[in-house]
Amino acid sequence: MDLHHKEIQAFFDCSVDNLRASPFIIQYILDSIPSYQNAVIIAKSPDATRRASSYAERLQLDIAVIHGEEKNEGEEYSDDGRSSPPPSCSFSQQIFCFDYPGTVPQTVPKVKPPIKVVGDVSGKTAIFVDDMIDEARTFIDAARLLKLHGATNCYVMVTHGILSGQAPEELAECEAIDEVVVCNTTPIGDKTVRCPKLKVIDVSIMIAEAIRRIHNGESMAHLYQNIRGDD
């Protein structure tokens, strides 16, 4: 369900049905978020814009995008060898180098700009949608920025609640995030105790129905009704 990269399907020796959690998440928004009509769907990064647009179109809401990243003090680029220059051509190698200068042309380094919001969130409820949450830092930084721009509430809606390390405690202590909603696609354990803001959506009925249909040789099309590839 909601593979992190759809290309993962190619690594299986059998056909793969990539189920979607979006129907459950959208229903939760409709049922559990007060005045969701005054909400805006948030893409945590430009890469998540297509997913946010897919949700926004079905909920008839606007979107906003978080661009850039928050830099920690003392954070520096880690030189792991990827930027080291290649060795020079030896005399025998130069026979095959032709007019090649012997070094790879350097490109302009990619530097993310300071974190900012693209879109209007003032006086609105902000709803993040993403496929997973592991470390909490990016969501926390983005939620604090949204509150500074006038967002009234911040909800985080994701499919897979990995929540490694101290992520549950960090989310619980973050005053900018009001609620975190995940699906039970991964073991939750004691994370709901460690983070009272954490709510869990049960998607077992969809997985069970998919197994039943595959076992009986039935069509899977019903499970993809009104589902977009960008979900």
Side-chain angles (χ1 to χ4, degrees), residues 80-135:
D80 58 3
R82 288 179 291 181
S83 60
S84 60
S88 303
C89 289
S90 64
F91 177 77
S92 60
Q93 290 173 323
Q94 289 176 5
I95 299 176
F96 304 99
C97 286
F98 301 104
D99 295 328
Y100 185 67
T103 58
V104 177
Q106 291 189 353
T107 58
V108 177
K110 180 180 178 181
V111 179
K112 288 189 175 183
I115 187 171
K116 63 181 180 180
V117 180
V118 180
D120 180 23
V121 298
S122 179
K124 298 182 179 181
T125 297
I127 304 175
F128 289 92
V129 292
D130 212 340
D131 64 331
M132 62 178 287
I133 178 172
D134 189 359
E135 296 180 350

Side-chain angles (χ1 to χ4, degrees), residues 55-91:
Y55 277 79
E57 289 173 4
R58 280 177 284 177
L59 290 166
Q60 299 181 17
L61 301 174
D62 293 331
I63 72 167
V65 181
I66 304 297
H67 187 245
E69 63 181 2
E70 187 74 28
K71 295 290 185 180
N72 288 339
E73 293 184 6
E75 184 178 24
E76 297 180 356
Y77 173 73
S78 176
D79 186 3
D80 58 3
R82 288 179 291 181
S83 60
S84 60
S88 303
C89 289
S90 64
F91 177 77

Side-chain angles (χ1 to χ4, degrees):
M1 177 173 281
D2 282 347
L3 295 175
H4 190 51
H5 294 289
K6 296 178 177 63
E7 293 79 7
I8 293 175
Q9 298 175 77
F11 288 87
F12 290 86
D13 294 329
C14 59
S15 59
V16 176
D17 291 293
N18 186 17
L19 301 175
R20 303 294 199 275
S22 56
F24 294 91
I25 295 176
I26 288 175
Q27 192 61 50
Y28 185 94
I29 293 173
L30 296 175
D31 295 340
S32 304
I33 296 184
S35 303
Y36 77 90
Q37 298 90 341
N38 189 41
V40 57
I41 302 298
I42 307 297
K44 184 173 62 71
S45 67
D47 294 337
T49 302
R50 296 175 69 179
R51 181 189 299 271
S53 297
S54 177
Y55 277 79
E57 289 173 4
R58 280 177 284 177
L59 290 166
Q60 299 181 17
L61 301 174
D62 293 331
I63 72 167
V65 181
I66 304 297
H67 187 245
E69 63 181 2
E70 187 74 28
K71 295 290 185 180
N72 288 339
E73 293 184 6
E75 184 178 24
E76 297 180 356
Y77 173 73
S78 176
D79 186 3
D80 58 3
R82 288 179 291 181
S83 60
S84 60
S88 303
C89 289
S90 64
F91 177 77
S92 60
Q93 290 173 323
Q94 289 176 5
I95 299 176
F96 304 99
C97 286
F98 301 104
D99 295 328
Y100 185 67
T103 58
V104 177
Q106 291 189 353
T107 58
V108 177
K110 180 180 178 181
V111 179
K112 288 189 175 183
I115 187 171
K116 63 181 180 180
V117 180
V118 180
D120 180 23
V121 298
S122 179
K124 298 182 179 181
T125 297
I127 304 175
F128 289 92
V129 292
D130 212 340
D131 64 331
M132 62 178 287
I133 178 172
D134 189 359
E135 296 180 350
R137 173 192 161 189
T138 54
F139 285 97
I140 290 173
D141 291 341
R144 287 172 176 165
L145 180 66
L146 293 172
K147 286 293 183 75
L148 288 176
H149 281 73
T152 56
N153 302 94
C154 286
Y155 293 83
V156 176
M157 306 276 178
V158 298
T159 304
H160 310 297
I162 309 299
L163 297 173
S164 300
Q166 297 300 309
E169 286 78 9
E170 293 172 1
L171 290 169
E173 295 170 1
C174 177
E175 69 290 343
I177 295 178
D178 297 275
E179 192 170 270
V180 181
V181 180
V182 303
C183 300
N184 60 343
T185 54
T186 59
I188 301 299
D190 64 346
K191 294 171 185 174
T192 53
V193 176
R194 295 162 60 191
C195 179
K197 299 178 182 179
L198 185 63
K199 309 298 181 184
V200 183
I201 299 175
D202 183 12
V203 296
S204 60
I205 187 172
M206 175 174 281
I207 296 175
E209 178 62 14
I211 294 173
R212 188 193 69 80
R213 286 175 177 269
I214 292 172
H215 179 74
N216 294 329
E218 299 177 18
S219 172
M220 298 286 287
H222 177 73
L223 300 181
Y224 293 94
Q225 285 184 350
N226 302 319
I227 298 295
R228 288 183 46 176
D230 298 329
D231 284 3

